[in-house]
Amino acid sequence: MNSDKAFEQACGVMPGGVNSPVRAYMAVGGVPRFMAQGRGSVVTDVDGVEYIDYVGSWGPLILGHAYPDIVNAIEKAARLGTTFGAPTEAETRLAALIVDRIPSVGLVRLVSSGTEAVMSAIRLARAFTGRSIIIKCAGCYHGHSDGMLVDAGSGALTLGTPSSPGVTDGAAGETIVLPYNDIAAMRGAFESHRDAIAAVVIEPVAGNMGCVPPGDGYLLDLAEACSKHGSLLILDEVMTGFRVSPGGAQERYGVSGDLTRLGKIVGGGMPLAAYGGRREIMEMVAPSGPVYQAGTLSGNPLATAAGIATLEALSDATIYDKLESASVKLEEGLIREATDSGVSVTINRIASMLTVFFTTGPVTDLASAQSTDRARFGRFFHAMLDRGVYLPPSPFECWFVSAAHSADDIERTILAAGESFRAIG
Ligand SMILES: *Cc1c(COP(=O)(O)O)cnc(C)c1O
């Protein structure tokens, strides 16, 4: 197979043969498929095999692959020059679209990756509050900056320990890691670290331990606890922004972040992310304020063109209705097939984010997510791949439905899932 050869060559020149670890199939075994092209809901690998794609580049492709308006916008921008390192009007247009959709965002700064948005927002939160400790939840991913690669310390409420070599105890020791959906743990941390907590950083719908929705009232309680203790609430909407509703999780759950991070969809498949929030906080960012943050390619013309085209397409609200009904159909079909096959699954779904956990109980945090049967998922993943369905190669990821998935795609996926459930027993 061409993918085997491509992987072997890649391994000779890149660590693990990939540029981002989860692409390497470590969680499911086997050789990653190398992709040659994507159109709509379908990707084609270098062997010419087609798959219905639920990875969607891990979130950005809510309109599907090679969406014509986005491709045209990128082509047009490229002909006018790929980068200037000087301001362009397109940056203002994209920023205005963001500010318009997310009311808690008064000012926004464009950057190039979600990781960059996260680390910049954390620096800003520390500068604004004059405090150092950040709280995050176990199982939430906020990019790979040092202070976010942290595991819970020995016992809740203690400071964290590095989860990767190369992260210093110092960087990890300024992060507290608590269970998701546990407001009591959060309140406990605020009590035991009074006046030291700069911000709580959270995925308002967790998507990086698989899809784990916030419990009833959790986000509002969290916002209240933050404001009571003078800490900022940083909503990491890199995955949920423009996906779980036109205004992201904030609109869906009626909560406001002091700061918000965006990525993935906002760049329309190009490397672009953003952080923004309350005006008086964002005014501290250089050059209007003292908090330094910069980027040679920030607000890149090709990326802003793709972002604008995406957000403009998403202003047609019927897209969200279509996404919802396709996702409901998929969820219902998967439940039906699993039940008929005698396979126990828990399916979590919010809007067009969905995860099938091979477990029996509810999945509400990292501990319950980890009860999923990983070996079983690995077999299911390969059974689906053999049947032309491309799922994220990890049991702890979301499947993304896009506006390009047709009723026929969903039907074929459900059929493949039924066969795959029976094949893995
Ligand atoms: C993907 C993701 C990030 C990191 O974004 P990159 O562009 O990969 O750096 C951060 N936070 C969340 C919630 C994400 O899903």
Side-chain angles (χ1 to χ4, degrees):
M1 288 206 325
N2 292 330
S3 277
D4 292 296
K5 207 168 70 213
F7 190 50
E8 198 186 306
Q9 286 168 351
C11 286
V13 287
M14 291 181 284
V18 292
N19 283 310
S20 195
V22 80
R23 296 178 195 169
Y25 284 23
M26 299 302 284
V28 293
V31 171
R33 299 298 183 270
F34 276 59
M35 293 304 169
Q37 64 166 293
R39 177 162 301 160
S41 60
V42 172
V43 288
T44 308
D45 71 14
V46 290
D47 289 287
V49 181
E50 294 191 346
Y51 307 88
I52 304 171
D53 178 31
Y54 290 94
V55 176
S57 190
W58 304 91
L61 302 184
I62 193 167
L63 298 169
H65 292 268
Y67 186 77
D69 287 354
I70 298 177
V71 174
N72 291 339
I74 294 171
E75 276 178 7
K76 198 170 150 203
R79 277 194 214 98
L80 297 173
T82 55
T83 176
F84 302 103
T88 59
E89 290 175 316
E91 291 162 80
T92 311
R93 272 205 296 285
L94 181 56
L97 282 165
I98 294 169
V99 166
D100 181 57
R101 298 256 164 119
I102 305 180
S104 72
V105 174
L107 292 174
V108 63
R109 166 63 55 88
L110 304 181
V111 295
S112 300
S113 74
T115 293
E116 198 186 350
V118 169
M119 67 184 209
S120 308
I122 286 173
R123 180 180 306 137
L124 178 58
R126 285 179 167 144
F128 183 78
T129 59
R131 301 172 177 185
S132 63
I133 295 179
I134 303 290
I135 297 180
K136 81 175 278 285
C137 287
C140 285
Y141 178 66
H142 302 291
H144 62 85
S145 63
D146 282 2
M148 292 291 99
L149 291 183
V150 175
D151 284 329
S154 56
L157 314 190
T158 60
L159 297 168
T161 57
S163 65
S164 164
V167 175
T168 61
D169 293 338
E174 299 203 298
T175 306
I176 294 175
V177 182
L178 298 175
Y180 195 74
N181 270 329
D182 186 342
I183 192 70
M186 205 56 88
R187 290 189 179 125
F190 275 116
E191 288 305 325
S192 47
H193 297 273
R194 270 182 179 280
D195 302 332
I197 294 168
V200 174
V201 175
I202 194 153
E203 289 183 72
V205 177
N208 286 289
M209 51 178 142
C211 178
V212 177
D216 277 349
Y218 177 61
L219 295 173
L220 290 170
D221 289 347
L222 197 53
E224 193 190 303
C226 284
S227 91
K228 182 174 157 198
H229 293 275
S231 306
L232 300 187
L233 178 61
I234 306 182
L235 295 177
D236 186 344
E237 295 230 46
V238 169
M239 189 182 288
T240 55
F242 312 111
R243 177 162 296 269
V244 302
S245 83
Q250 305 189 44
E251 178 180 336
R252 190 177 177 108
Y253 295 99
V255 65
S256 295
D258 296 298
L259 292 172
T260 296
R261 282 99 65 110
L262 297 166
K264 300 193 168 123
I265 289 174
V266 75
M270 296 289 285
L272 186 144
Y275 66 102
R278 276 161 45 201
R279 194 169 263 278
E280 73 267 30
I281 306 175
M282 289 303 293
E283 273 172 349
M284 288 190 73
V285 176
S288 66
V291 178
Y292 195 69
Q293 185 269 310
T296 302
L297 293 176
S298 293
N300 172 266
L302 275 58
T304 46
I308 291 166
T310 301
L311 296 194
E312 281 177 347
L314 290 176
S315 66
D316 170 6
T318 64
I319 288 188
Y320 288 91
D321 297 336
K322 189 175 169 245
L323 281 164
E324 179 71 18
S325 66
S327 306
V328 168
K329 275 212 188 75
L330 178 60
E331 179 186 16
E332 288 174 351
L334 290 168
I335 292 173
R336 196 174 58 237
E337 293 296 338
T339 308
D340 288 355
S341 318
V343 173
S344 297
V345 295
T346 296
I347 298 182
N348 282 355
R349 182 187 69 81
I350 296 290
S352 51
M353 301 164 53
L354 172 154
T355 301
V356 178
F357 294 98
F358 288 84
T359 188
T360 46
V363 174
T364 57
D365 58 10
L366 182 60
S368 45
Q370 284 178 332
S371 71
T372 193
D373 186 331
R374 297 167 199 221
R376 212 163 201 204
F377 174 82
R379 293 198 299 277
F380 181 74
F381 169 85
H382 281 289
M384 291 292 272
L385 198 63
D386 290 345
R387 289 166 178 78
V389 180
Y390 189 68
L391 301 178
S394 159
F396 304 108
E397 300 289 352
C398 290
W399 310 9
F400 295 106
V401 177
S402 79
H405 284 94
S406 65
D408 183 55
D409 289 331
I410 301 292
E411 277 311 311
R412 283 166 53 206
T413 304
I414 293 167
L415 214 69
E419 288 176 17
S420 300
F421 284 135
R422 286 187 282 282
I424 67 168

